[in-house]
Amino acid sequence: MTSLRTTRTRRRRLGVATAAAGLLATLLTAGPAAAIPDPGDAPPTQSSVTSEQAAEAKAAIRSGEIPGVDQIVHSANITHVANIPKDALQGTNSDLAFQGRYAFAGNYDGFRIFDISNPKAPKTVAQVLCPGSQNDVSVSGNLLFLSTDSSRSDDSCASTTQPATEKSSWEGMKIFDISDVRNPKYVASVETACGSHTHTLVPERRDVYIYVSSYSPDAAFPDCQPPHDGISVIKVPRKAPQRAAVVNFPVLFPGEGPDGGGNPGPPTNPGVRKTTGCHDITVLPSKDLAAGACMGDGILFSIKDPANPKVIDRVQDNVNFAFWHSATFNQKANKVVYTDELGGGSAATCNAAVGPNRGANGVYDIVGKGDHRKLVFRSYFKIPRHQADTENCVAHNGSLIPVKGKDLMVQGWYQGGVSVWDFTDSAKPKEIAYFERGPLSTDVIRSGGSWSAYYYNGHIYSNDMAKGFDVLRLDDRRTDPAKRIRMDALNVQTQPDYFDDFDNDDD
């Protein structure tokens, strides 16, 4: 594998050969992560591209417009510190969580625990085989939580795939005891309606509340019935996790009829997925706030009573947002960044045909006070480097980089790589650093790239779907103050108050 350090910003016209209207029609019908199968199924399929698209990708590599296959490029302020390839778990890598000197990496086949006390040489301390997409992971104290959003024969780690039309099938949350990180123990499970695509912790002293996001109900699924217009709330007693149970299902989109009151999608809004639940929720416990990315809707809600969240405001973007995927608050809680996962993470959307406003981030200001706060759109941000039509690329998971007085974020873009960007000026966001690999192939779309890219204790950690666990160091005067903040743990969907919760030199 070759590496190239570069400071150039490549504004390519890749994708112009594709008929934009036809491409967008295809993207809008693709479901989130649609190309990634349930563990136990056949390996991920490869999507074909036209001979013209393949030729364009190869020509762009020859001209130096894009990196070669597997070639690494990055801005001068990024250093690629380490890469740990996949090992026993060969499924798709997914989300990340952190606690102390450990990183917890989800994988469709289970999860892996790294000792990152030396970021230059992470060491694997445990690999747990427990198939069930997506296996998004979070940690709190001695407990680890794992999301299962695929229909399984039972709740064990030896389960197999089973149709959701069968009542005995299981999907939901799994809970592990990680008091011995080298030997995690499976201690409990909780079945939830429509499974658990992602989850968010709202940690209290005695209990942990979990907001479970799931979607796409079907009248033929006994455990996933429409309208499914809310989220499952699980309460987990820390000292007795085996007593974990669903305690509420708050309706976030009240409305009449079988579809509830969320975004109706097509044909009313032809470019948007119908809202039938939430994809991801981010909470800011210090401000009693949460932001929900819910398919066709973005919401802001109060979590003063964590078991009974209350919607404050709701917005839609029926022109440029196809699928509201995730959300990130800034530190002052007067902005939210929402992502649009156009094409479900399996399509090539970072090209000229799609343009800068689709498959991008939407930056929203929060104005007003209390329960009268409103979300006000300010701008879009998308990486300025076009990718080949053989590279799945779209806005995905990221986190704040904690610098007082600045709004800085690092974010994974699948095969678009890792981007660091500044949204201090809500109306004029800009990229300040990047890291990416060349396409996995110039002939077909093979799913890969950074699923999650998060900043933790001085380094950026990225879980690449295909290439493994990457460690990056960012050296830039704009971000260097963040290196002084040392955190005890990080679950990105449970945003900390970086300047009150942790020791740092700025206080």
Side-chain angles (χ1 to χ4, degrees):
M1 181 182 297
T2 57
S3 177
L4 172 67
R5 183 177 181 181
T6 178
T7 57
R8 59 185 172 167
T9 298
R10 288 166 283 117
R11 297 184 179 276
R12 300 187 294 268
R13 295 289 294 166
L14 287 172
V16 292
T18 305
L23 173 64
L24 287 175
T26 300
L27 294 174
L28 294 173
T29 58
I36 303 172
D38 181 76
D41 291 345
T45 57
Q46 299 181 144
S47 301
S48 61
V49 296
T50 67
S51 58
E52 190 176 11
Q53 289 171 318
E56 184 181 57
K58 293 170 184 176
I61 289 173
R62 287 195 300 270
S63 68
E65 290 181 287
I66 66 172
V69 172
D70 265 1
Q71 183 183 18
I72 291 174
V73 297
H74 53 83
S75 54
N77 52 0
I78 290 276
T79 301
H80 190 202
V81 174
N83 171 262
I84 308 298
K86 293 180 184 179
D87 189 13
L89 306 178
Q90 288 295 305
T92 298
N93 283 332
S94 58
D95 213 357
L96 293 169
F98 305 87
Q99 188 163 259
R101 69 175 190 268
Y102 299 106
F104 302 82
N107 179 286
Y108 274 47
D109 286 342
F111 62 93
R112 189 174 182 180
I113 303 176
F114 295 99
D115 183 336
I116 55 172
S117 53
N118 179 3
K120 294 181 180 179
K123 297 179 180 179
T124 300
V125 298
Q127 297 190 73
V128 176
L129 179 64
C130 195
S133 64
Q134 301 182 137
N135 276 341
D136 276 14
V137 62
S138 60
V139 293
S140 181
N142 289 330
L143 300 178
L144 179 146
F145 305 91
L146 206 63
S147 278
T148 300
D149 191 32
S150 56
S151 186
R152 312 296 298 177
S153 57
D154 54 54
D155 64 350
S156 75
C157 285
S159 66
T160 58
T161 58
Q162 182 168 289
T165 52
E166 295 189 22
K167 176 61 179 173
S168 63
S169 296
W170 183 92
E171 299 179 64
M173 291 298 308
K174 295 170 182 169
I175 304 171
F176 291 78
D177 184 329
I178 54 168
S179 51
D180 178 0
V181 294
R182 298 183 180 277
N183 185 32
K185 296 180 180 179
Y186 185 13
V187 296
S189 70
V190 181
E191 186 171 14
T192 53
C194 300
S196 175
H197 194 71
T198 66
H199 68 269
T200 305
L201 304 187
V202 187
E204 303 289 330
R205 287 188 178 182
R206 296 179 57 184
D207 306 307
V208 179
Y209 287 91
I210 307 174
Y211 292 163
V212 175
S213 297
S214 56
Y215 53 90
S216 293
D218 191 303
F221 299 164
D223 299 318
C224 184
Q225 292 285 297
H228 193 72
D229 47 9
I231 57 174
S232 297
V233 179
I234 297 174
K235 180 180 178 180
V236 185
R238 288 188 184 275
K239 294 184 178 180
Q242 69 276 6
R243 288 167 37 204
V246 174
V247 295
N248 197 7
F249 187 88
V251 173
L252 303 178
F253 304 98
E256 300 295 331
D259 296 327
N263 195 317
T268 304
N269 298 317
V272 183
R273 279 287 296 273
K274 179 173 70 174
T275 298
T276 57
C278 290
H279 180 280
D280 213 327
I281 292 169
T282 294
V283 298
L284 192 56
S286 64
K287 302 293 193 297
D288 289 329
L289 279 178
C294 303
M295 304 182 72
D297 295 88
I299 59 175
L300 182 72
F301 51 104
S302 167
I303 57 169
K304 289 180 180 178
D305 179 355
N308 296 281
K310 174 185 176 183
V311 175
I312 296 173
D313 194 27
R314 167 184 165 197
V315 290
Q316 297 178 354
D317 180 346
N318 295 319
V319 175
N320 287 318
F321 260 49
F323 190 93
W324 294 68
H325 174 275
S326 52
T328 303
F329 288 101
N330 70 335
Q331 180 59 38
K332 291 183 178 179
N334 59 8
K335 299 175 189 176
V336 183
V337 173
Y338 289 100
T339 66
D340 171 27
E341 196 184 31
L342 173 68
S346 60
T349 74
C350 298
N351 54 34
V354 175
N357 296 337
R358 304 188 71 90
N361 296 312
V363 182
Y364 285 75
D365 284 351
I366 301 174
V367 300
K369 295 181 179 180
D371 289 351
H372 299 289
R373 282 172 284 195
K374 297 291 183 181
L375 293 162
V376 179
F377 173 78
R378 294 303 187 200
S379 66
Y380 298 106
F381 171 78
K382 193 171 184 179
I383 56 173
R385 297 170 311 286
H386 288 160
Q387 307 296 306
D389 285 334
T390 58
E391 294 181 274
N392 62 305
C393 175
V394 76
H396 212 235
N397 292 345
S399 75
L400 289 186
I401 299 177
V403 175
K404 274 191 173 180
K406 298 288 184 182
D407 296 324
L408 305 171
M409 185 172 174
V410 59
Q411 186 175 12
W413 288 77
Y414 291 114
Q415 285 194 70
V418 175
S419 176
V420 179
W421 59 291
D422 184 335
F423 62 103
T424 306
D425 183 343
S426 302
K428 296 180 180 179
K430 58 184 179 180
E431 185 177 75
I432 62 175
Y434 70 89
F435 167 92
E436 68 167 292
R437 291 180 169 89
L440 290 169
S441 169
T442 56
D443 297 310
V444 295
I445 296 179
R446 290 176 51 200
S447 292
S450 179
W451 179 291
S452 301
Y454 300 147
Y455 186 91
Y456 180 69
N457 288 351
H459 286 80
I460 293 169
Y461 297 91
S462 170
N463 215 16
D464 188 292
M465 294 167 65
K467 294 297 181 181
F469 184 69
D470 285 309
V471 185
L472 310 175
R473 191 181 75 239
L474 176 62
D475 295 296
D476 189 292
R477 60 178 177 77
R478 294 165 289 191
T479 60
D480 284 346
K483 295 178 181 179
R484 296 195 290 267
I485 294 180
R486 311 307 293 180
M487 305 173 65
D488 299 321
L490 178 65
N491 297 296
V492 169
Q493 286 74 31
T494 307
Q495 282 191 218
D497 187 328
Y498 290 97
F499 304 109
D500 289 340
D501 294 348
F502 302 100
D503 294 331
N504 62 85
D505 294 339
D506 286 348
D507 290 342

mmCIF file with all atom_site columns, all heavy atoms in Angstrom, residues 128-145:
data_model
loop_
_atom_site.group_PDB
_atom_site.id
_atom_site.type_symbol
_atom_site.label_atom_id
_atom_site.label_alt_id
_atom_site.label_comp_id
_atom_site.label_asym_id
_atom_site.label_entity_id
_atom_site.label_seq_id
_atom_site.pdbx_PDB_ins_code
_atom_site.Cartn_x
_atom_site.Cartn_y
_atom_site.Cartn_z
_atom_site.occupancy
_atom_site.B_iso_or_equiv
_atom_site.pdbx_formal_charge
_atom_site.auth_seq_id
_atom_site.auth_comp_id
_atom_site.auth_asym_id
_atom_site.auth_atom_id
_atom_site.pdbx_PDB_model_num
ATOM 1   N N   . VAL A 1 128 ? -15.128 -10.787 20.183 1.00 0.00 ? 128 VAL A N   1
ATOM 2   C CA  . VAL A 1 128 ? -16.316 -11.540 20.581 1.00 0.00 ? 128 VAL A CA  1
ATOM 3   C C   . VAL A 1 128 ? -17.158 -11.821 19.349 1.00 0.00 ? 128 VAL A C   1
ATOM 4   O O   . VAL A 1 128 ? -17.608 -10.892 18.666 1.00 0.00 ? 128 VAL A O   1
ATOM 5   C CB  . VAL A 1 128 ? -17.137 -10.767 21.627 1.00 0.00 ? 128 VAL A CB  1
ATOM 6   C CG1 . VAL A 1 128 ? -18.423 -11.505 21.959 1.00 0.00 ? 128 VAL A CG1 1
ATOM 7   C CG2 . VAL A 1 128 ? -16.304 -10.540 22.894 1.00 0.00 ? 128 VAL A CG2 1
ATOM 8   N N   . LEU A 1 129 ? -17.366 -13.082 19.045 1.00 0.00 ? 129 LEU A N   1
ATOM 9   C CA  . LEU A 1 129 ? -18.205 -13.486 17.919 1.00 0.00 ? 129 LEU A CA  1
ATOM 10  C C   . LEU A 1 129 ? -19.659 -13.478 18.357 1.00 0.00 ? 129 LEU A C   1
ATOM 11  O O   . LEU A 1 129 ? -20.053 -14.239 19.243 1.00 0.00 ? 129 LEU A O   1
ATOM 12  C CB  . LEU A 1 129 ? -17.804 -14.879 17.431 1.00 0.00 ? 129 LEU A CB  1
ATOM 13  C CG  . LEU A 1 129 ? -18.618 -15.447 16.261 1.00 0.00 ? 129 LEU A CG  1
ATOM 14  C CD1 . LEU A 1 129 ? -18.418 -14.600 15.012 1.00 0.00 ? 129 LEU A CD1 1
ATOM 15  C CD2 . LEU A 1 129 ? -18.241 -16.902 15.999 1.00 0.00 ? 129 LEU A CD2 1
ATOM 16  N N   . CYS A 1 130 ? -20.442 -12.602 17.764 1.00 0.00 ? 130 CYS A N   1
ATOM 17  C CA  . CYS A 1 130 ? -21.866 -12.505 18.107 1.00 0.00 ? 130 CYS A CA  1
ATOM 18  C C   . CYS A 1 130 ? -22.591 -11.838 16.942 1.00 0.00 ? 130 CYS A C   1
ATOM 19  O O   . CYS A 1 130 ? -22.888 -10.637 16.985 1.00 0.00 ? 130 CYS A O   1
ATOM 20  C CB  . CYS A 1 130 ? -22.049 -11.703 19.395 1.00 0.00 ? 130 CYS A CB  1
ATOM 21  S SG  . CYS A 1 130 ? -23.693 -11.886 20.142 1.00 0.00 ? 130 CYS A SG  1
ATOM 22  N N   . PRO A 1 131 ? -22.864 -12.576 15.859 1.00 0.00 ? 131 PRO A N   1
ATOM 23  C CA  . PRO A 1 131 ? -23.407 -11.990 14.639 1.00 0.00 ? 131 PRO A CA  1
ATOM 24  C C   . PRO A 1 131 ? -24.753 -11.312 14.838 1.00 0.00 ? 131 PRO A C   1
ATOM 25  O O   . PRO A 1 131 ? -25.594 -11.773 15.606 1.00 0.00 ? 131 PRO A O   1
ATOM 26  C CB  . PRO A 1 131 ? -23.538 -13.194 13.700 1.00 0.00 ? 131 PRO A CB  1
ATOM 27  C CG  . PRO A 1 131 ? -22.587 -14.204 14.227 1.00 0.00 ? 131 PRO A CG  1
ATOM 28  C CD  . PRO A 1 131 ? -22.619 -14.019 15.710 1.00 0.00 ? 131 PRO A CD  1
ATOM 29  N N   . GLY A 1 132 ? -24.952 -10.201 14.127 1.00 0.00 ? 132 GLY A N   1
ATOM 30  C CA  . GLY A 1 132 ? -26.224 -9.484  14.157 1.00 0.00 ? 132 GLY A CA  1
ATOM 31  C C   . GLY A 1 132 ? -26.055 -8.038  13.772 1.00 0.00 ? 132 GLY A C   1
ATOM 32  O O   . GLY A 1 132 ? -25.605 -7.240  14.588 1.00 0.00 ? 132 GLY A O   1
ATOM 33  N N   . SER A 1 133 ? -26.395 -7.674  12.551 1.00 0.00 ? 133 SER A N   1
ATOM 34  C CA  . SER A 1 133 ? -26.183 -6.297  12.111 1.00 0.00 ? 133 SER A CA  1
ATOM 35  C C   . SER A 1 133 ? -26.989 -5.321  12.981 1.00 0.00 ? 133 SER A C   1
ATOM 36  O O   . SER A 1 133 ? -28.046 -5.681  13.475 1.00 0.00 ? 133 SER A O   1
ATOM 37  C CB  . SER A 1 133 ? -26.599 -6.151  10.654 1.00 0.00 ? 133 SER A CB  1
ATOM 38  O OG  . SER A 1 133 ? -27.990 -6.378  10.502 1.00 0.00 ? 133 SER A OG  1
ATOM 39  N N   . GLN A 1 134 ? -26.548 -4.048  13.204 1.00 0.00 ? 134 GLN A N   1
ATOM 40  C CA  . GLN A 1 134 ? -25.260 -3.558  12.760 1.00 0.00 ? 134 GLN A CA  1
ATOM 41  C C   . GLN A 1 134 ? -24.188 -3.811  13.807 1.00 0.00 ? 134 GLN A C   1
ATOM 42  O O   . GLN A 1 134 ? -23.029 -3.545  13.590 1.00 0.00 ? 134 GLN A O   1
ATOM 43  C CB  . GLN A 1 134 ? -25.326 -2.046  12.489 1.00 0.00 ? 134 GLN A CB  1
ATOM 44  C CG  . GLN A 1 134 ? -26.323 -1.622  11.453 1.00 0.00 ? 134 GLN A CG  1
ATOM 45  C CD  . GLN A 1 134 ? -26.320 -0.126  11.199 1.00 0.00 ? 134 GLN A CD  1
ATOM 46  O OE1 . GLN A 1 134 ? -26.384 0.258   10.058 1.00 0.00 ? 134 GLN A OE1 1
ATOM 47  N NE2 . GLN A 1 134 ? -26.235 0.705   12.208 1.00 0.00 ? 134 GLN A NE2 1
ATOM 48  N N   . ASN A 1 135 ? -24.613 -4.250  14.969 1.00 0.00 ? 135 ASN A N   1
ATOM 49  C CA  . ASN A 1 135 ? -23.723 -4.369  16.121 1.00 0.00 ? 135 ASN A CA  1
ATOM 50  C C   . ASN A 1 135 ? -23.090 -3.031  16.484 1.00 0.00 ? 135 ASN A C   1
ATOM 51  O O   . ASN A 1 135 ? -21.923 -2.953  16.845 1.00 0.00 ? 135 ASN A O   1
ATOM 52  C CB  . ASN A 1 135 ? -22.652 -5.440  15.892 1.00 0.00 ? 135 ASN A CB  1
ATOM 53  C CG  . ASN A 1 135 ? -23.162 -6.835  16.218 1.00 0.00 ? 135 ASN A CG  1
ATOM 54  O OD1 . ASN A 1 135 ? -24.161 -6.983  16.919 1.00 0.00 ? 135 ASN A OD1 1
ATOM 55  N ND2 . ASN A 1 135 ? -22.488 -7.848  15.716 1.00 0.00 ? 135 ASN A ND2 1
ATOM 56  N N   . ASP A 1 136 ? -23.896 -1.954  16.410 1.00 0.00 ? 136 ASP A N   1
ATOM 57  C CA  . ASP A 1 136 ? -23.448 -0.679  16.958 1.00 0.00 ? 136 ASP A CA  1
ATOM 58  C C   . ASP A 1 136 ? -23.210 -0.865  18.454 1.00 0.00 ? 136 ASP A C   1
ATOM 59  O O   . ASP A 1 136 ? -23.991 -1.526  19.142 1.00 0.00 ? 136 ASP A O   1
ATOM 60  C CB  . ASP A 1 136 ? -24.511 0.393   16.730 1.00 0.00 ? 136 ASP A CB  1
ATOM 61  C CG  . ASP A 1 136 ? -24.404 1.025   15.352 1.00 0.00 ? 136 ASP A CG  1
ATOM 62  O OD1 . ASP A 1 136 ? -23.693 0.462   14.495 1.00 0.00 ? 136 ASP A OD1 1
ATOM 63  O OD2 . ASP A 1 136 ? -25.037 2.070   15.125 1.00 0.00 ? 136 ASP A OD2 1
ATOM 64  N N   . VAL A 1 137 ? -22.153 -0.241  18.961 1.00 0.00 ? 137 VAL A N   1
ATOM 65  C CA  . VAL A 1 137 ? -21.678 -0.536  20.308 1.00 0.00 ? 137 VAL A CA  1
ATOM 66  C C   . VAL A 1 137 ? -21.580 0.730   21.148 1.00 0.00 ? 137 VAL A C   1
ATOM 67  O O   . VAL A 1 137 ? -21.271 1.813   20.638 1.00 0.00 ? 137 VAL A O   1
ATOM 68  C CB  . VAL A 1 137 ? -20.304 -1.250  20.240 1.00 0.00 ? 137 VAL A CB  1
ATOM 69  C CG1 . VAL A 1 137 ? -19.258 -0.354  19.592 1.00 0.00 ? 137 VAL A CG1 1
ATOM 70  C CG2 . VAL A 1 137 ? -19.841 -1.732  21.592 1.00 0.00 ? 137 VAL A CG2 1
ATOM 71  N N   . SER A 1 138 ? -21.865 0.613   22.443 1.00 0.00 ? 138 SER A N   1
ATOM 72  C CA  . SER A 1 138 ? -21.610 1.684   23.405 1.00 0.00 ? 138 SER A CA  1
ATOM 73  C C   . SER A 1 138 ? -21.271 1.050   24.742 1.00 0.00 ? 138 SER A C   1
ATOM 74  O O   . SER A 1 138 ? -21.534 -0.135  24.978 1.00 0.00 ? 138 SER A O   1
ATOM 75  C CB  . SER A 1 138 ? -22.817 2.624   23.533 1.00 0.00 ? 138 SER A CB  1
ATOM 76  O OG  . SER A 1 138 ? -23.948 1.914   23.972 1.00 0.00 ? 138 SER A OG  1
ATOM 77  N N   . VAL A 1 139 ? -20.651 1.841   25.628 1.00 0.00 ? 139 VAL A N   1
ATOM 78  C CA  . VAL A 1 139 ? -20.216 1.325   26.923 1.00 0.00 ? 139 VAL A CA  1
ATOM 79  C C   . VAL A 1 139 ? -20.568 2.312   28.025 1.00 0.00 ? 139 VAL A C   1
ATOM 80  O O   . VAL A 1 139 ? -20.606 3.527   27.814 1.00 0.00 ? 139 VAL A O   1
ATOM 81  C CB  . VAL A 1 139 ? -18.693 1.046   26.949 1.00 0.00 ? 139 VAL A CB  1
ATOM 82  C CG1 . VAL A 1 139 ? -18.327 -0.094  26.020 1.00 0.00 ? 139 VAL A CG1 1
ATOM 83  C CG2 . VAL A 1 139 ? -17.893 2.291   26.587 1.00 0.00 ? 139 VAL A CG2 1
ATOM 84  N N   . SER A 1 140 ? -20.839 1.764   29.216 1.00 0.00 ? 140 SER A N   1
ATOM 85  C CA  . SER A 1 140 ? -21.072 2.594   30.399 1.00 0.00 ? 140 SER A CA  1
ATOM 86  C C   . SER A 1 140 ? -20.685 1.781   31.624 1.00 0.00 ? 140 SER A C   1
ATOM 87  O O   . SER A 1 140 ? -21.324 0.765   31.930 1.00 0.00 ? 140 SER A O   1
ATOM 88  C CB  . SER A 1 140 ? -22.545 3.020   30.481 1.00 0.00 ? 140 SER A CB  1
ATOM 89  O OG  . SER A 1 140 ? -22.762 3.846   31.620 1.00 0.00 ? 140 SER A OG  1
ATOM 90  N N   . GLY A 1 141 ? -19.608 2.191   32.303 1.00 0.00 ? 141 GLY A N   1
ATOM 91  C CA  . GLY A 1 141 ? -19.136 1.433   33.452 1.00 0.00 ? 141 GLY A CA  1
ATOM 92  C C   . GLY A 1 141 ? -18.712 0.046   33.030 1.00 0.00 ? 141 GLY A C   1
ATOM 93  O O   . GLY A 1 141 ? -17.907 -0.126  32.110 1.00 0.00 ? 141 GLY A O   1
ATOM 94  N N   . ASN A 1 142 ? -19.268 -0.967  33.680 1.00 0.00 ? 142 ASN A N   1
ATOM 95  C CA  . ASN A 1 142 ? -18.920 -2.349  33.370 1.00 0.00 ? 142 ASN A CA  1
ATOM 96  C C   . ASN A 1 142 ? -19.848 -2.979  32.335 1.00 0.00 ? 142 ASN A C   1
ATOM 97  O O   . ASN A 1 142 ? -19.808 -4.199  32.122 1.00 0.00 ? 142 ASN A O   1
ATOM 98  C CB  . ASN A 1 142 ? -18.948 -3.200  34.645 1.00 0.00 ? 142 ASN A CB  1
ATOM 99  C CG  . ASN A 1 142 ? -17.802 -2.862  35.576 1.00 0.00 ? 142 ASN A CG  1
ATOM 100 O OD1 . ASN A 1 142 ? -16.727 -2.452  35.132 1.00 0.00 ? 142 ASN A OD1 1
ATOM 101 N ND2 . ASN A 1 142 ? -18.030 -3.012  36.875 1.00 0.00 ? 142 ASN A ND2 1
ATOM 102 N N   . LEU A 1 143 ? -20.675 -2.155  31.699 1.00 0.00 ? 143 LEU A N   1
ATOM 103 C CA  . LEU A 1 143 ? -21.646 -2.700  30.754 1.00 0.00 ? 143 LEU A CA  1
ATOM 104 C C   . LEU A 1 143 ? -21.342 -2.257  29.327 1.00 0.00 ? 143 LEU A C   1
ATOM 105 O O   . LEU A 1 143 ? -20.983 -1.096  29.080 1.00 0.00 ? 143 LEU A O   1
ATOM 106 C CB  . LEU A 1 143 ? -23.063 -2.269  31.127 1.00 0.00 ? 143 LEU A CB  1
ATOM 107 C CG  . LEU A 1 143 ? -23.556 -2.707  32.512 1.00 0.00 ? 143 LEU A CG  1
ATOM 108 C CD1 . LEU A 1 143 ? -24.954 -2.161  32.773 1.00 0.00 ? 143 LEU A CD1 1
ATOM 109 C CD2 . LEU A 1 143 ? -23.542 -4.234  32.635 1.00 0.00 ? 143 LEU A CD2 1
ATOM 110 N N   . LEU A 1 144 ? -21.514 -3.196  28.396 1.00 0.00 ? 144 LEU A N   1
ATOM 111 C CA  . LEU A 1 144 ? -21.396 -2.916  26.968 1.00 0.00 ? 144 LEU A CA  1
ATOM 112 C C   . LEU A 1 144 ? -22.719 -3.275  26.311 1.00 0.00 ? 144 LEU A C   1
ATOM 113 O O   . LEU A 1 144 ? -23.316 -4.303  26.617 1.00 0.00 ? 144 LEU A O   1
ATOM 114 C CB  . LEU A 1 144 ? -20.251 -3.714  26.347 1.00 0.00 ? 144 LEU A CB  1
ATOM 115 C CG  . LEU A 1 144 ? -20.008 -3.554  24.844 1.00 0.00 ? 144 LEU A CG  1
ATOM 116 C CD1 . LEU A 1 144 ? -18.514 -3.654  24.526 1.00 0.00 ? 144 LEU A CD1 1
ATOM 117 C CD2 . LEU A 1 144 ? -20.778 -4.599  24.014 1.00 0.00 ? 144 LEU A CD2 1
ATOM 118 N N   . PHE A 1 145 ? -23.167 -2.401  25.399 1.00 0.00 ? 145 PHE A N   1
ATOM 119 C CA  . PHE A 1 145 ? -24.459 -2.573  24.748 1.00 0.00 ? 145 PHE A CA  1
ATOM 120 C C   . PHE A 1 145 ? -24.252 -2.747  23.241 1.00 0.00 ? 145 PHE A C   1
ATOM 121 O O   . PHE A 1 145 ? -23.460 -2.042  22.626 1.00 0.00 ? 145 PHE A O   1
ATOM 122 C CB  . PHE A 1 145 ? -25.352 -1.367  25.033 1.00 0.00 ? 145 PHE A CB  1
ATOM 123 C CG  . PHE A 1 145 ? -25.521 -1.084  26.493 1.00 0.00 ? 145 PHE A CG  1
ATOM 124 C CD1 . PHE A 1 145 ? -24.662 -0.211  27.149 1.00 0.00 ? 145 PHE A CD1 1
ATOM 125 C CD2 . PHE A 1 145 ? -26.515 -1.716  27.229 1.00 0.00 ? 145 PHE A CD2 1
ATOM 126 C CE1 . PHE A 1 145 ? -24.794 0.042   28.502 1.00 0.00 ? 145 PHE A CE1 1
ATOM 127 C CE2 . PHE A 1 145 ? -26.659 -1.465  28.588 1.00 0.00 ? 145 PHE A CE2 1
ATOM 128 C CZ  . PHE A 1 145 ? -25.787 -0.592  29.235 1.00 0.00 ? 145 PHE A CZ  1
#
